[in-house]
Amino acid sequence: MAEAPVTFSALDSALLGPLFASEAMRAAFSDQARLAAMIRVEAALARAQARFGLAPQDLAAAIAAIDPDSLDLAALGRDTAVAGVPVIPFVKALRARLPAALEPHLHRGATTQDVADTGLVLQMRAALDLVAADLDAIRASLATLARAHRTTPCVGRTYGQHAAPVTFGYKVAVWWAGIHEVGRRLPDLRGGLSASLGGPVGTLAGLGPDGPAVARAFAEELGLAAAPIAWHARRARIAEIGAFLALLIGALAKMATDVAHLASTEVAELAEPHVPGRGGSSAMPHKRNPVSATVILAAHGAAPGLAATLFAAMAAAHERPAGAWHAEWHALPQLFGLASGALREARALAEGLAVDPQRMRDNLDLTRGLLFADTAAAALAPRLGAAAAHRAVEEAADRVRAEGASLLAVLRERFGDEPALSAAFDLAPAVAAAAAFVDEALACP
Amino acid sequence: MAEAPVTFSALDSALLGPLFASEAMRAAFSDQARLAAMIRVEAALARAQARFGLAPQDLAAAIAAIDPDSLDLAALGRDTAVAGVPVIPFVKALRARLPAALEPHLHRGATTQDVADTGLVLQMRAALDLVAADLDAIRASLATLARAHRTTPCVGRTYGQHAAPVTFGYKVAVWWAGIHEVGRRLPDLRGGLSASLGGPVGTLAGLGPDGPAVARAFAEELGLAAAPIAWHARRARIAEIGAFLALLIGALAKMATDVAHLASTEVAELAEPHVPGRGGSSAMPHKRNPVSATVILAAHGAAPGLAATLFAAMAAAHERPAGAWHAEWHALPQLFGLASGALREARALAEGLAVDPQRMRDNLDLTRGLLFADTAAAALAPRLGAAAAHRAVEEAADRVRAEGASLLAVLRERFGDEPALSAAFDLAPAVAAAAAFVDEALACP
Amino acid sequence: MAEAPVTFSALDSALLGPLFASEAMRAAFSDQARLAAMIRVEAALARAQARFGLAPQDLAAAIAAIDPDSLDLAALGRDTAVAGVPVIPFVKALRARLPAALEPHLHRGATTQDVADTGLVLQMRAALDLVAADLDAIRASLATLARAHRTTPCVGRTYGQHAAPVTFGYKVAVWWAGIHEVGRRLPDLRGGLSASLGGPVGTLAGLGPDGPAVARAFAEELGLAAAPIAWHARRARIAEIGAFLALLIGALAKMATDVAHLASTEVAELAEPHVPGRGGSSAMPHKRNPVSATVILAAHGAAPGLAATLFAAMAAAHERPAGAWHAEWHALPQLFGLASGALREARALAEGLAVDPQRMRDNLDLTRGLLFADTAAAALAPRLGAAAAHRAVEEAADRVRAEGASLLAVLRERFGDEPALSAAFDLAPAVAAAAAFVDEALACP
Amino acid sequence: MAEAPVTFSALDSALLGPLFASEAMRAAFSDQARLAAMIRVEAALARAQARFGLAPQDLAAAIAAIDPDSLDLAALGRDTAVAGVPVIPFVKALRARLPAALEPHLHRGATTQDVADTGLVLQMRAALDLVAADLDAIRASLATLARAHRTTPCVGRTYGQHAAPVTFGYKVAVWWAGIHEVGRRLPDLRGGLSASLGGPVGTLAGLGPDGPAVARAFAEELGLAAAPIAWHARRARIAEIGAFLALLIGALAKMATDVAHLASTEVAELAEPHVPGRGGSSAMPHKRNPVSATVILAAHGAAPGLAATLFAAMAAAHERPAGAWHAEWHALPQLFGLASGALREARALAEGLAVDPQRMRDNLDLTRGLLFADTAAAALAPRLGAAAAHRAVEEAADRVRAEGASLLAVLRERFGDEPALSAAFDLAPAVAAAAAFVDEALACP
């Protein structure tokens, strides 16, 4: 272990990173991936320029043949610390590997930010594809789970208190809908990923009248959208992708919040999928900690602040700002890292949650009928008026809590044994109502 | 001034608020507007339920006839502090104003959050329409300004330093594009505004099998989208609207950052529109402070943190969370307030910026040709190779700075009087390149 | 209700504000309080200058006699929207109320920011005193509660799972310590509150050589610290107070998080103090929502973003920035508002929490001895080695969960009836250990 | 380059990290440093327990002899991803390296979080020492610079506009004071760094009555403070250190904001220290980008969001939360990384800024006397009254701007050639006033 990873971010730690980010995403945001993307950008620029006679035909191939692993990363890092941007030493290193006849044509008309931003866009495209795959799997599994428990009765909880019955499938359908409504934006965001080619001040003046056409060709070579005007200092797309990832993590965190509580000892309606060795404690042999929920909630704890950084960075002065652009580097990739871990764990939950319908049923009975307080009040409303009915049930609920009788018994004692009252304690309507919304939600395009 | 406004937010101050938020937006987020919206929601619910025989036909009209100004706001506030939510005292106050025959049918099957959230959605719809109107005006004025200065030469600046020539119209086109790319999302977000009707736990069980149909009718009555499943604890849409507003303010802040700098004493290429009495100082009689830019940048300073609050609030437990939902109340409306002030000021800038083309021209000459360093290097590259040409111009630039000669003179002294070299100092190609991108950007759909 | 409050912040709403902020704090941050503070600042300046013969002796009294309620707030607001700062119309309005002989001496040598910042400091001092009073009350009540339940056995939970026994007093002592360690900073922060008097660029040049002495006298008149050099663009103190409030709210949120969970239906070890009409639901007659915890957690949801705004605002350009300063107005007072509501509710909890020791005892037994897994493993370690003991108990725990037997029974079956094993299931050592730390914590200065 | 670093954070990249963080800080937050710290923690625990006969005397030495480099980091990472926390595989790996007689005594009574938190505290202590050293150097150099330019006249700027004269030394003294007032908190924070030893639920029950004494001994062994009660779920200290770093970076960002503007082409009063190869552009041979300011401002862009994450994480449920604790890992170390780069660059600026007093003098004359508008108005006030004098100078300023005459000439034309008027245009009082505050500030303890 001659050189241990620097780990200001837990995501980058060899020790902690595998817990919090997926292997594929870790690879997508390695230095190696960054250099490979930057080489690809320079090659695409050469190909685009060759179409217009602005670069030798064989330049692109010569660039593309450079092995990113052959570059001296430590030396590049040292030079970056002096130069202030990585592209200057990078271009110098590339020139040193090109034949003398080709070298002067490298990086023509481009500026540092073109290469850095377009390289990042390529990394983000790969990263969004990883996100999309996990999203699809999660949606599919949650839909299956929601259908399977479409009519499994379960307590609905508000403010942490038992409220009224729902079904477990209904809860899952809400998770599904929350993730789906965020995920639906992904294709647009991926499609909007644009190449950056503007040269020193964004106008590509160095390429003469062919500038806009070269920029389009460059984007085409990389399979990216072409920007209508430089985005060196126009950063909404970057901030929007950050916001998307924060929203996505937020939607997953809603599920994780519910799972962690439903898996808590007293509730015990769910358990995270059993994985040998997972969720233990170095001190307590019996522990089954909800590790998946923990990973998701940790990601959610960190995402809002990172997304806020990207919003703030939009105030980018003139043609390239001193600091605002660089602040993005401290925030954007981490959102992908956090999302990857959260998605992986959410997928594991969606595919393997252990559901205990009996326990759900038992918990419904915990409060001796209080869960039916609103239907009981509705049953009494025709007779008493809504407000008086509400009040009567409130008082009855106090007796239930104090005396341990059931709500139905207390109400019968006072109002007699009406069928409407008994019917108010029937689970079936609540189950049917919940099941109907499962269907509505999953039918959503 | 018996009861002065409480002003934890400067936006709500009678003293400061008019500076930071528009009058129309201030009206849209008053307590009066909130109560009016909540009354409208209860009336729409009554109309929807009447369609299905679930409410008396004349209930809706009776509700709609209640004047929000007739409610005792202070008393409602006191009761809210006890109850924990405003809808309980609100519904009680409404009942007290309804005939005994209608009163029991009010608010049937609904829950507090339905009324509060749907009321907020109505306020947001009005607010988004205000945003849209300002956005349209800003885009139109900026497009006109960009075209007017399509070929007005101007310094391009990176890292705060002179970089290479652009045109002022090009800079404005970048602002336009930045605002446009954010604004383009608005119709979607407005169209996605959904009514909330779920009852206690979101399933509308209290309405029986008609639940989903009543929810659709309710949304229709209000001209809102119907949610496929309750969004009581599914908050992506709320967070997304917050993110949209933060992005919008960010795009305006990019313009304001540039304006503030271009209006600074040494640069002096722009001045904010002259308004008598504006931008003065209580101490310095000569001051012309950039008030519009200040308002926008202050909004941008506060927006990221508020948007982050909304992301964090997405981890909403079960069917209704204790705290996460309420945290939204501390953040979302302020984003509308901040946006309204920023938009108003951006509109004033777009419509009335005083542009000084002569000063722009003078500033281009400040560095005695250094702005053409990259074209000069390009002109020398065929002869020296790119790297050597870059180095030669770097050295010449050092002499320009040290000795006060012009870059062209220094280069001619060393490399002779080549036409290619002189041509590198021609503004025309830079202007043409910038103008081409003005056209590209403004052609954007 | 001719003019309803503007309510971009829920804290400023007549409907919602009373729930989220205390009445006293709402008064401290009203427009009236702001104007009164600004008048006090101008009067103190006059007094300080009179000491040095720089102002007429009777100016201060004439200023102090101006009734803030006599100022036309709406007109001031309109003029502020033009001028860009409130102090210009404010000073003009004051001049109009002063005798001609005194008027020219008003506001001498001062700048807008001196009055605005010092006025805010006076509001903050009053606000910090409100905070201090609530803090003292909370600490006293929590200490009493911790002592009362010093040995009341209670489940310790990690990751939402039962872990090992503690006492309820121990939990309260952790809350106490968390609030205490933040609160301890308050006297320093209050003592560091400094008057701002720098004039246009901070150097008080307009007052000649007496400048620094006048600044000290001005601070003395207000009972504030004198800054060694202008803090117009040196904002650490402002940001630090914001951070303090966010930390304080965070410490209260730890307690609220625990309370909300302990009050949840399945756990039911605590209930919020009973207040008639509190925590009800517009739909569910039986609900007892944890309103106090909700208010605290909502404050905690919003505080981090507001504190972040203050950090960001520290990058204040030159002698006064365009925007960064004003962004503080959008954030700082709200932190006081949020803190006031959170403190009030925390105090109510500390004073009135309903504790159910029997339910705590019952919950300890829920897992049939698993809570003693670590002590059981420790008891077996001498015989088996730590790792094997840990493994053995892990396996036994699986059987407990699967078969419903108690952990002690399962272990006895395998390892025989050793006294050391039985002793591991004794609550007493856990209780004693917890009680010892209650004493340690509360002894903290 | 078989395994390139994972670089979700730019700070962790071999390519970008050297620009944004110092080498020493990168070493302090490497995986190697983390493992070394965790080994040190386990050894200290063994030493403390040996004092009480709770561990064999030779255990500590055996632990301390384990070389962190001998641990298989990749394997530990894989196991951490399963277990959910790094300490479980870490302890297992340590056991495997200990003699059988000692192995069972390792990690006795401790829990994962004790080791992870105390290890982090050790890393933070080393990191704070790095911060302190840089802070001392910066303060010393800035004090020297402020004294050297105590009377160097320079424009004071508010809202980006020329306001009134100050001295460059005065500006530097404001930077100094801003950094100093934050830095003064460091010794307290360092002194408050506490060891964490609580065992499963914080009560150290596993150690019997010696628990508190062992905890004190453990802290003593590490030279740390002992906590009066477990801080597993009491996180103010962690959040406070994050806030301190954000405040520190904010104070540095104030300086960087000023430097970047003063180094801009039109202003040109300062230049960053010349370092060959620094601040160039891959496209523009003449560029001298302010790299130091850029690094600092990028850090400042990211710090507020990270600090906000730590505030949010304070709502830590019960004895150990699922997610809130882990979110800290995503934020806290990065604040040290960002601070280290910002400090290094601020130190370079403080030690090597190139100051151009002649350019400062020239810029003072740019506005033909408008900088003296406030003193001119004061000179006219005795004759005209303050308001009329303010207005007269406002009008004169309009003529200066429109006609190019000097303010003195315009005023003389209207009010005659009074000595008081001429004296108002003397730089000396402004310089003296500024110099006096340099002395006041630097005398601050």
Side-chain angles (χ1 to χ4, degrees), chain D residues 160-220:
Chain D
Q161 306 286 311
H162 283 202
V166 296
T167 66
F168 181 60
Y170 170 78
K171 292 183 73 75
V172 176
V174 171
W175 301 344
W176 182 92
I179 293 164
H180 178 64
E181 74 183 327
V182 176
R184 229 165 8 178
R185 284 277 294 141
L186 198 150
D188 245 32
L189 291 170
R190 190 191 185 287
L193 289 173
S194 303
S196 177
L197 186 65
V201 289
T203 57
L204 276 181
L207 302 184
D210 288 328
V214 172
R216 276 190 296 270
F218 171 68
E220 202 183 287

Side-chain angles (χ1 to χ4, degrees), chain B residues 106-435:
Chain B
L106 178 73
H107 191 65
R108 177 170 176 188
T111 196
T112 282
Q113 195 173 8
D114 293 329
V115 178
D117 273 351
T118 309
L120 177 64
V121 163
L122 294 176
Q123 291 180 280
M124 291 200 296
R125 181 170 61 185
L128 285 177
D129 289 344
L130 295 173
V131 168
D134 273 338
L135 261 175
D136 286 347
I138 292 169
R139 284 186 282 203
S141 295
L142 286 182
T144 302
L145 189 63
R147 283 190 193 101
H149 291 284
R150 193 178 167 277
T151 58
T152 303
C154 175
V155 173
R157 293 168 177 88
T158 60
Y159 292 86
Q161 306 286 311
H162 282 202
V166 298
T167 67
F168 181 60
Y170 170 78
K171 291 183 74 75
V172 177
V174 170
W175 300 344
W176 182 92
I179 293 164
H180 179 63
E181 73 184 327
V182 176
R184 229 166 8 180
R185 282 277 293 142
L186 197 151
D188 244 33
L189 291 170
R190 190 191 185 287
L193 288 174
S194 302
S196 177
L197 187 64
V201 289
T203 58
L204 276 181
L207 302 183
D210 288 329
V214 171
R216 277 190 295 271
F218 171 69
E220 201 183 289
E221 290 287 343
L222 292 165
L224 296 170
I229 194 165
W231 54 278
H232 291 161
R234 180 170 61 86
R235 311 302 289 181
R237 283 288 162 81
I238 292 291
E240 202 180 9
I241 287 174
F244 164 76
L245 293 168
L247 287 166
L248 177 58
I249 292 169
L252 301 174
K254 191 276 180 278
M255 175 168 79
T257 299
D258 288 357
V259 167
H261 184 255
L262 295 177
S264 68
T265 306
E266 286 88 353
V267 179
E269 299 181 3
L270 291 183
E272 291 205 349
H274 186 60
V275 176
R278 167 150 272 205
S281 156
S282 71
M284 295 167 280
H286 65 297
K287 285 301 295 287
R288 284 282 170 74
N289 293 325
V291 173
S292 292
T294 298
V295 168
I296 297 168
L297 293 174
H300 183 59
L306 295 169
T309 293
L310 298 173
F311 291 134
M314 290 181 72
H318 295 307
E319 280 58 68
R320 185 167 310 117
W325 172 40
H326 310 75
E328 293 175 6
W329 307 356
H330 293 312
L332 183 64
Q334 288 185 70
L335 283 161
F336 279 104
L338 295 171
S340 75
L343 284 162
R344 182 191 61 198
E345 299 301 325
R347 186 172 173 170
L349 292 176
E351 291 171 356
L353 266 182
V355 183
D356 186 341
Q358 183 55 47
R359 181 67 179 227
M360 289 175 178
R361 196 68 194 72
D362 295 347
N363 284 342
L364 281 160
D365 296 335
L366 263 187
T367 51
R368 295 178 302 278
L370 288 185
L371 278 175
F372 299 95
D374 73 309
T375 48
L380 293 172
R383 195 161 128 191
L384 308 178
H390 194 97
R391 242 179 352 261
V393 176
E394 264 183 338
E395 289 160 17
D398 284 343
R399 282 191 52 202
V400 169
R401 278 187 284 253
E403 302 168 14
S406 81
L407 181 62
L408 180 55
V410 172
L411 290 174
R412 267 185 184 150
E413 193 186 310
R414 177 151 170 214
F415 297 107
D417 193 3
E418 293 199 47
L421 199 53
S422 309
F425 288 81
D426 182 8
L427 263 177
V431 167

Side-chain angles (χ1 to χ4, degrees), chain C residues 70-94:
Chain C
S70 74
L71 301 174
D72 180 345
L73 198 45
L76 288 175
R78 276 191 305 273
D79 291 351
T80 296
V82 174
V85 278
V87 179
I88 293 177
F90 168 77
V91 166
K92 207 172 140 195
L94 254 52

Side-chain angles (χ1 to χ4, degrees), chain D residues 28 37 40 111 151 160 192 267 297 333 362:
Chain D
R40 222 172 129 195
T111 195
T151 58
V267 180
L297 293 173
D362 295 347

Side-chain angles (χ1 to χ4, degrees), chain A residues 71-333:
Chain A
L71 301 174
D72 180 344
L73 198 45
L76 289 174
R78 275 192 305 274
D79 291 352
T80 296
V82 174
V85 279
V87 179
I88 294 177
F90 168 76
V91 166
K92 206 172 140 197
L94 255 52
R95 284 199 209 284
R97 270 159 183 78
L98 291 175
L102 297 178
E103 175 256 307
H105 302 279
L106 177 75
H107 191 65
R108 178 171 176 187
T111 195
T112 281
Q113 195 173 7
D114 293 328
V115 177
D117 274 350
T118 309
L120 176 65
V121 164
L122 294 176
Q123 290 179 281
M124 290 200 296
R125 181 170 60 187
L128 284 177
D129 288 345
L130 296 173
V131 168
D134 274 337
L135 261 175
D136 286 346
I138 291 169
R139 284 186 282 203
S141 295
L142 286 182
T144 302
L145 189 64
R147 285 193 190 97
H149 291 283
R150 193 178 166 276
T151 58
T152 304
C154 174
V155 174
R157 292 167 179 91
T158 61
Y159 292 85
Q161 305 288 312
H162 282 202
V166 297
T167 66
F168 181 61
Y170 170 78
K171 292 183 73 76
V172 177
V174 171
W175 302 343
W176 182 92
I179 293 164
H180 178 63
E181 73 183 329
V182 176
R184 227 164 14 178
R185 284 278 293 140
L186 197 150
D188 244 34
L189 291 171
R190 190 192 186 286
L193 288 174
S194 302
S196 177
L197 186 64
V201 288
T203 59
L204 275 182
L207 301 184
D210 288 329
V214 172
R216 277 190 294 271
F218 171 68
E220 202 183 287
E221 291 287 345
L222 292 165
L224 296 170
I229 194 165
W231 53 278
H232 293 160
R234 180 170 60 86
R235 311 301 289 182
R237 284 288 163 79
I238 292 291
E240 203 179 9
I241 287 175
F244 164 76
L245 293 167
L247 288 165
L248 177 57
I249 293 169
L252 301 174
K254 192 273 179 280
M255 174 167 80
T257 299
D258 289 356
V259 167
H261 184 255
L262 295 177
S264 69
T265 306
E266 286 88 354
V267 181
E269 300 181 4
L270 292 182
E272 292 206 349
H274 187 62
V275 175
R278 166 150 273 206
S281 156
S282 70
M284 293 167 282
H286 65 300
K287 285 302 294 286
R288 282 286 166 74
N289 294 325
V291 172
S292 291
T294 297
V295 168
I296 297 169
L297 293 173
H300 183 60
L306 295 169
T309 293
L310 298 174
F311 291 135
M314 289 181 71
H318 295 308
E319 281 57 69
R320 186 167 310 117
W325 172 39
H326 310 74
E328 293 175 5
W329 307 356
H330 294 312
L332 183 63

